Amino acid sequence: MSSDQPNMTHQIPAPIGGIPLPLDFAPSILFSILYAAVFIVIAWRVYRPDSRCFLLVGSVIGALERVVFFALRAYAAQHEGLRANRELQVYFQTTLAAGFITHAQLVLDLLRSLLAHPRARPSSTPAIATSSDIELNPRSAPGTEPDYPQLRYYVRQACGLPGLVMLGAVVLGIDGSHAALVRGIWYASAGIALGMLVWIGAVVGWAVCRVPRVPRWPIVWLASMGTLAAIVAIYRLGVLHCSTPLGGLESTASCSGNTPGEKAEFWIFHVAPEFLIAALLAAVNARQMFGTGLWGDIKGKDPKPVK
């Protein structure tokens, strides 16, 4: 079959969010402007010495990419010839698949920095060692509350998984002859990310119950960001069963991603949560709130004390 003839026999996974249609124009412009504001704020925080943290560089690039993404989506929504453009759809679907995974990894990196930050402090009263204190830090110095170096080691092990999750990032193309592979990649990507976010939730719950003196507000902030990323993962898993003909991307049938209701679900459960994550990150000084320092926590374990 020639490339200029519509292929209505091969079924492919329906594009997440459908193709850009006129009703996508207004929300695309809105989110392009909102992400431009987020980009300016996060870039300003990276520039300022008191808030500079290189963990945020990816967020700066991601926010700028989303400005371009939504600008292109708005442009395509107004130009019929671009709506089903294959190269543009490959870009749209790839960046949508990878964006929320990047957010999930950042949440894990910030959680690691927060929980692995040393918290020993002088004690005005003689410390009464509990069984958990002895277990976690049997050599705490007299006159100080425990610093829990062993616990920080466990935290680093529990949070050292982002690289594995990024193996599930989606690098896909829209090709009817490989539809099963594309769908499998999408399912694996969303499933791995959701599993990671459940793990983050378990670590957060454990930290609240077991880690002494962890500030509660940063924990709430990270839990909120993780929950928003999980909403995106669940939404993606819920729509991946939908298929559409390779030559019928403009179909407005049910499960095409192009009906008004499906468009609304995309903007509410995919786009809005991702933006709220970026906005939550821009709203605070991550370096101060999460104790990241300049690079975040990159040590495998605490250095041995000098004797």
Side-chain angles (χ1 to χ4, degrees):
M1 181 177 294
S2 63
S3 59
D4 59 340
Q5 292 179 323
N7 188 332
M8 303 299 290
T9 58
H10 290 295
Q11 294 288 312
I12 63 170
I16 302 295
I19 63 172
L21 296 176
L23 52 82
D24 287 300
F25 178 75
S28 294
I29 291 294
L30 173 63
F31 278 99
S32 186
I33 294 172
L34 290 174
Y35 268 107
V38 166
F39 165 76
I40 292 171
V41 173
I42 300 180
W44 175 75
R45 292 196 182 279
V46 172
Y47 173 77
R48 286 178 56 88
D50 64 337
S51 59
R52 185 174 299 153
C53 173
F54 287 109
L55 285 179
L56 303 182
V57 171
S59 298
V60 174
I61 297 172
L64 181 60
E65 188 278 332
R66 281 295 187 257
V67 174
V68 175
F69 169 82
F70 287 113
L72 285 175
R73 195 171 181 91
Y75 185 79
Q78 295 294 299
H79 294 79
E80 186 174 356
L82 288 177
R83 292 175 188 170
N85 179 273
R86 183 182 184 277
E87 288 73 21
L88 203 57
Q89 278 299 318
V90 169
Y91 164 64
F92 286 164
Q93 296 307 307
T94 300
T95 188
L96 284 173
F100 78 103
I101 298 177
T102 304
H103 286 311
Q105 180 174 346
L106 177 61
V107 170
L108 194 57
D109 289 340
L110 293 175
L111 180 63
R112 171 173 172 160
S113 294
L114 178 68
L115 298 184
H117 190 74
R119 288 185 174 79
R121 63 184 181 188
S123 177
S124 58
T125 59
I128 301 175
T130 65
S131 58
S132 60
D133 289 342
I134 295 172
E135 176 187 353
L136 294 174
N137 188 19
R139 298 183 180 181
S140 298
T144 64
E145 295 182 12
D147 185 33
Y148 303 100
Q150 189 64 33
L151 183 145
R152 289 201 302 277
Y153 171 78
Y154 291 144
V155 164
R156 290 181 176 121
Q157 297 305 307
C159 294
L161 304 176
L164 295 179
V165 176
M166 289 306 292
L167 293 177
V170 176
V171 179
L172 53 87
I174 297 180
D175 186 329
S177 64
H178 297 90
L181 176 60
V182 170
R183 196 188 305 275
I185 293 174
W186 284 7
Y187 269 119
S189 174
I192 290 172
L194 183 59
M196 174 185 175
L197 291 162
V198 171
W199 177 256
I200 291 174
V203 173
V204 166
W206 170 76
V208 170
C209 298
R210 292 284 296 162
V211 181
R213 299 187 299 277
V214 172
R216 294 298 182 255
W217 191 241
I219 285 289
V220 170
W221 217 255
L222 290 174
S224 299
M225 294 170 67
T227 300
L228 289 167
I231 290 173
V232 179
I234 293 170
Y235 164 77
R236 292 181 66 87
L237 288 171
V239 300
L240 285 179
H241 67 281
C242 291
S243 297
T244 191
L246 178 60
L249 292 178
E250 297 184 3
S251 169
T252 56
S254 177
C255 221
S256 65
N258 293 326
T259 69
E262 290 165 347
K263 291 285 189 183
E265 291 175 356
F266 167 70
W267 290 103
I268 293 171
F269 297 114
H270 199 308
V271 176
E274 277 196 346
F275 169 74
L276 289 174
I277 295 172
L280 285 172
L281 186 62
V284 299
N285 184 330
R287 180 167 181 163
Q288 292 181 1
M289 175 172 275
F290 305 109
T292 63
L294 187 61
W295 297 99
D297 185 78
I298 57 177
K299 296 180 292 186
K301 60 183 179 179
D302 286 349
K304 294 182 179 180
V306 178
K307 296 182 180 179

